[in-house]
Amino acid sequence: MLRSILVFAFALVALPLGAETPMTAEEFDAYTRGKTLYYGQNGQPYGVEEYRENREVTWSFLDGRCLDGRWYEDARGMICFVYEDGSGPQCWRFFRGPDGLRAIFEDESAVPLYEAEEGDEPMQCLGPEVGV
C-alpha cells in the first residue's frame, strides 16, 4: 500500500514537468511580436532581443553590439534563429509559464534562459566599429 501511495505521489509531482509543451511558432510569434525581452541565466543578465514583424529580430549580449536576424520553426518544432553574422541556426524550445518565457537550447545540456523582463525602450546598439 505504501509503495502504491509513493508511486502515485511521484506521478503527481512529475506530471507537470512531463506535460509541459513547447510553444508553437504561432504562439511564440503572438507572445513576442512587438516586444523587447531581456533574458537571464543563473540569476545573471544574459541578453536582449527585439521581436518585430515578419519574424525579424535584433539580438544583443548587452554589450552594445547588435545582430539582426530572423527566426523560423524547424521540422522538429523548435524555434531557430539565424543572424547576419552567419553563425548558423541556433534552435530552442520555448515554454510559457506564469513568469514569462523559458528557453532550452536544442542540445538540452546548456543552462536554460528565462525571460527576466520586458523592456519599455528600444534596444541600444552601437554603430559599426571604424578603424584607422
Side-chain angles (χ1 to χ4, degrees):
M1 176 75 171
L2 179 58
R3 182 175 178 204
S4 297
I5 292 171
L6 289 175
V7 169
F8 179 71
F10 179 74
L12 285 178
V13 170
L15 182 62
L17 297 175
E20 195 173 37
T21 304
M23 295 174 80
T24 65
E26 293 76 21
E27 292 167 333
F28 182 76
D29 189 43
Y31 182 84
T32 60
R33 189 176 344 111
K35 293 182 180 179
T36 300
L37 300 179
Y38 287 81
Y39 291 94
Q41 184 180 59
N42 287 331
Q44 299 295 317
Y46 184 81
V48 59
E49 191 140 49
E50 182 178 273
Y51 299 88
R52 296 183 301 279
E53 295 291 326
N54 301 315
R55 299 181 173 184
E56 294 179 358
V57 296
T58 300
W59 169 261
S60 175
F61 282 106
L62 303 171
D63 59 3
R65 290 180 280 172
C66 297
L67 288 174
D68 290 324
R70 295 181 51 83
W71 68 267
Y72 64 92
E73 183 178 31
D74 75 359
R76 302 169 293 174
M78 298 186 91
I79 306 297
C80 300
F81 296 83
V82 178
Y83 297 98
E84 65 189 356
D85 67 351
S87 59
Q90 298 176 23
C91 300
W92 303 78
R93 290 191 203 302
F94 283 87
F95 301 88
R96 185 171 177 189
D99 296 324
L101 296 183
R102 185 170 52 89
I104 298 176
F105 194 62
E106 64 185 318
D107 71 4
E108 298 184 10
S109 65
V111 175
L113 299 180
Y114 57 88
E115 179 183 340
E117 66 179 289
E118 181 176 344
D120 295 331
E121 302 291 324
M123 290 174 58
Q124 297 298 315
C125 298
L126 301 175
E129 293 182 19
V130 181
V132 190

